[in-house]
Amino acid sequence: MTSTEKTTEASDKLDPAVIKIAIVVVLGAIMAILDTTVVSVAQNTFQADFDTDQAGAAWTITGYTLALAAVIPLSSWAAARFGTKNVYLTSLVLFVLGSVLCALAWDITSLTVFRVLQGLGGGMLMPVGMMILTKAAGPAKIGSVMAVLGIPMLLGPIMGPIIGGALIEYVSWHWIFLINVPIGVAAFIYAMIILPGADESARPKFDFIGLLLLSPGLALFLYGITLSTEHGSFTDPSVLITAGIGLLLMIGFVFHALRTTNPLLDLRLFRNSKLSMAVITMGLFMIAFLGAALLFPQYYIGVRGETTLMTGLLLAPQGIGAMLTMPMSGKLTDRQGPGKIVMAGIVLITIGLSAFIFLGPDTSFWLLSAALFVQGLGMGMTMMPIMSAALATLSDKQVPDGSTLMNVVQQAAGSVGTAIISVILVNNLRGAEDLGAMADGFGKTFIVTTVLIALCIIPAFFLPRKAIARSTTDADGKPVAPVMMH
């Protein structure tokens, strides 16, 4: 090995202090992301134990999601006002408290209320965690750091059904919430010791008008989109009215944010073309990716008759594939930029998804597992490099807004994708009376997700194809102080 290769290899390694901080952030992210999926497997249990219907039980998911959407826009302001460490610790406390209360719920209403509290804590864990990691690692290592943070983001939807199914089957539904307590306590103690002090706090003016526009606007829009899955259509009046009001509020926020000095979320970041392309790529990718992720378990359970636990195991090849490529893609992103890596990842996901277009009632599990593994390889090369492309060009001052913006886009696009694919699936399954017809309905729906993933190649083509230099100007084009490398 030459001295140059040794230097490159050494430079690829994360500083031990950064790794310690990454462990804190990953612990928090694991809890927040798992709880978006683990409750989905308990829906039938909630209906039976609390004597409620499917719509009532579904509020345990909807309430959590809407709380996440409402609180995420506050992340940037809260981090600037109180410091990232304080906000992160407070979020952990709220999340763990909400988890304990969920386990103690006595009816479906109390469970839904406590899930909202849990969501208010969980909503800031990911964006604030990204702020902490990005600042600690510095711009040269942001790809490697995002790869670490991407592990819970990719494995959460896969591990959620496995963990949830096992706890419900062998213990009780209460433990899908109580399991957060030891993890949360460990994360809190570890964060108190490891995270740097909150000396970065400032006193920015709070944008009350922006809050009144963006948070309820985003929540109403996502709730309206969610209603489409119940009605099987986007043209139902309840969908159009609710989503329409939310959309109008968000449009109002756009005009407000571009005219005020310190908006809740600085949309002037879109002047950065690299960030804009990354946001477009991420939005389209999340619509397609989370839409497809919805279909896999429904096919295994509804058509193949597998248990929730077995379904989770059958999805495991996807996570294995992602774990293999994610560390490599993080290092390559730091060296070469995300462009080529993301495009290669999208090609792999498209190839893997295309196998599901030809689903039958008895399609080989080995074939489907191989297809999921190929998808996983692509996933590890896609999501976090896109995130790196967005954040790597930002100055330290811009990172909080950039992190919040990307999390808003992820939350909104994921909900939109889930709703679109759910409505398409409902219509494709209408009139299906046997397993063959049901499998065919899933196959037709997978055509849509495959096309959507393939379309991601267009914005990905414009992502940087060389190492990204961090911005030396703020959102208004003014120079900023040099970035201190950690």
Side-chain angles (χ1 to χ4, degrees):
M1 182 181 293
T2 66
S3 59
T4 302
E5 289 173 331
K6 289 180 180 178
T7 302
T8 301
E9 184 179 348
S11 66
D12 284 338
K13 294 181 179 179
L14 290 174
D15 186 271
V18 176
I19 294 175
K20 291 177 182 178
I21 292 174
I23 292 172
V24 175
V25 176
V26 167
L27 282 174
I30 285 174
M31 292 191 301
I33 294 171
L34 275 180
D35 264 52
T36 61
T37 57
V38 73
V39 174
S40 63
V41 304
Q43 294 298 289
N44 291 338
T45 305
F46 292 156
Q47 292 178 49
D49 283 13
F50 294 131
D51 191 25
T52 186
D53 57 13
Q54 182 179 2
W59 268 103
T60 60
I61 298 175
T62 305
Y64 181 83
T65 303
L66 295 182
L68 285 178
V71 79
I72 286 174
L74 287 169
S75 302
S76 178
W77 172 83
R81 173 63 182 83
F82 302 106
T84 51
K85 180 176 182 177
N86 289 335
V87 175
Y88 195 78
L89 291 174
T90 302
S91 298
L92 279 174
V93 170
L94 279 176
F95 188 86
V96 173
L97 177 62
S99 298
V100 173
L101 292 173
C102 284
L104 299 175
W106 55 89
D107 58 21
I108 197 63
T109 301
S110 62
L111 179 58
T112 300
V113 171
F114 297 147
R115 281 283 285 169
V116 169
L117 176 63
Q118 201 184 27
L120 292 176
M124 288 195 188
L125 286 176
M126 183 60 77
V128 175
M130 286 171 58
M131 297 174 203
I132 294 170
L133 266 181
T134 303
K135 183 175 181 180
K141 300 288 183 67
I142 195 169
S144 299
V145 134
M146 286 296 113
V148 172
L149 189 56
I151 293 173
M153 292 184 69
L154 289 178
L155 295 188
I158 298 169
M159 296 303 297
I162 298 176
I163 295 172
L167 289 173
I168 292 170
E169 185 172 343
Y170 298 112
V171 193
S172 74
W173 66 264
H174 304 81
W175 280 94
I176 65 175
F177 301 113
L178 290 176
I179 194 174
N180 291 323
V181 176
I183 300 175
V185 170
F188 184 88
I189 296 173
Y190 194 57
M192 283 286 292
I193 299 170
I194 296 299
L195 294 185
D199 56 354
E200 73 270 38
S201 60
R203 294 189 178 274
K205 183 180 178 182
F206 185 63
D207 181 16
F208 282 105
I209 296 176
L211 176 65
L212 293 175
L213 290 171
L214 183 56
S215 286
L218 183 59
L220 282 171
F221 176 73
L222 296 186
Y223 177 54
I225 293 295
T226 301
L227 287 175
S228 66
T229 62
E230 297 179 15
H231 300 285
S233 170
F234 289 102
T235 58
D236 186 88
S238 63
V239 176
L240 293 175
I241 293 172
T242 308
I245 293 173
L247 186 59
L248 287 174
L249 287 172
M250 289 194 293
I251 292 173
F253 173 77
V254 171
F255 285 102
H256 165 75
L258 294 177
R259 296 171 60 184
T260 192
T261 305
N262 294 303
L264 187 68
L265 188 60
D266 192 358
L267 300 183
R268 288 182 286 266
L269 290 179
F270 281 111
R271 294 173 181 170
N272 182 327
S273 60
K274 294 183 177 67
L275 174 78
S276 297
M277 277 300 142
V279 169
I280 293 170
T281 308
M282 177 62 79
L284 185 56
F285 177 79
M286 291 301 291
I287 289 174
F289 170 66
L290 287 186
L294 171 79
L295 299 177
F296 301 130
Q298 290 194 37
Y299 167 76
Y300 282 129
I301 294 171
V303 178
R304 305 303 290 266
E306 298 296 336
T307 64
T308 302
L309 183 58
M310 187 61 189
T311 296
L313 294 173
L314 287 168
L315 293 174
Q318 200 174 39
I320 295 170
M323 285 192 293
L324 289 177
T325 54
M326 194 176 291
M328 172 203 71
S329 65
K331 293 177 181 179
L332 289 177
T333 298
D334 289 335
R335 291 187 201 170
Q336 305 174 7
K340 295 178 182 178
I341 299 162
V342 172
M343 286 193 291
I346 290 171
V347 170
L348 286 173
I349 297 175
T350 303
I351 293 171
L353 264 180
S354 64
F356 285 82
I357 294 175
F358 308 100
L359 281 177
D362 54 359
T363 303
S364 167
F365 282 155
W366 288 106
L367 173 62
L368 298 182
S369 294
L372 284 168
F373 178 74
V374 172
Q375 285 178 58
L377 294 175
M379 286 160 54
M381 300 167 64
T382 308
M383 185 183 296
M384 300 320 290
I386 296 174
M387 191 77 75
S388 301
L391 299 182
T393 60
L394 304 180
S395 66
D396 275 359
K397 184 179 178 181
Q398 295 170 327
V399 164
D401 276 322
S403 172
T404 302
L405 178 64
M406 291 303 288
N407 277 272
V408 168
V409 169
Q410 281 186 320
Q411 188 68 37
S415 296
V416 169
T418 299
I420 290 174
I421 299 305
S422 294
V423 171
I424 293 173
L425 179 64
V426 167
N427 287 291
N428 282 338
L429 292 180
R430 189 166 287 144
E433 298 179 355
D434 57 63
L435 294 181
M438 290 178 65
D440 185 60
F442 274 93
K444 290 178 180 177
T445 310
F446 270 113
I447 294 176
V448 178
T449 61
T450 304
V451 170
L452 286 174
I453 282 288
L455 287 174
C456 293
I457 202 81
I458 298 174
F461 179 81
F462 297 97
L463 294 177
R465 301 185 195 180
K466 59 182 180 180
I468 303 174
R470 175 164 280 197
S471 175
T472 57
T473 60
D474 62 17
D476 295 314
K478 299 177 181 178
V480 297
V483 177
M484 180 68 69
M485 296 296 292
H486 296 267

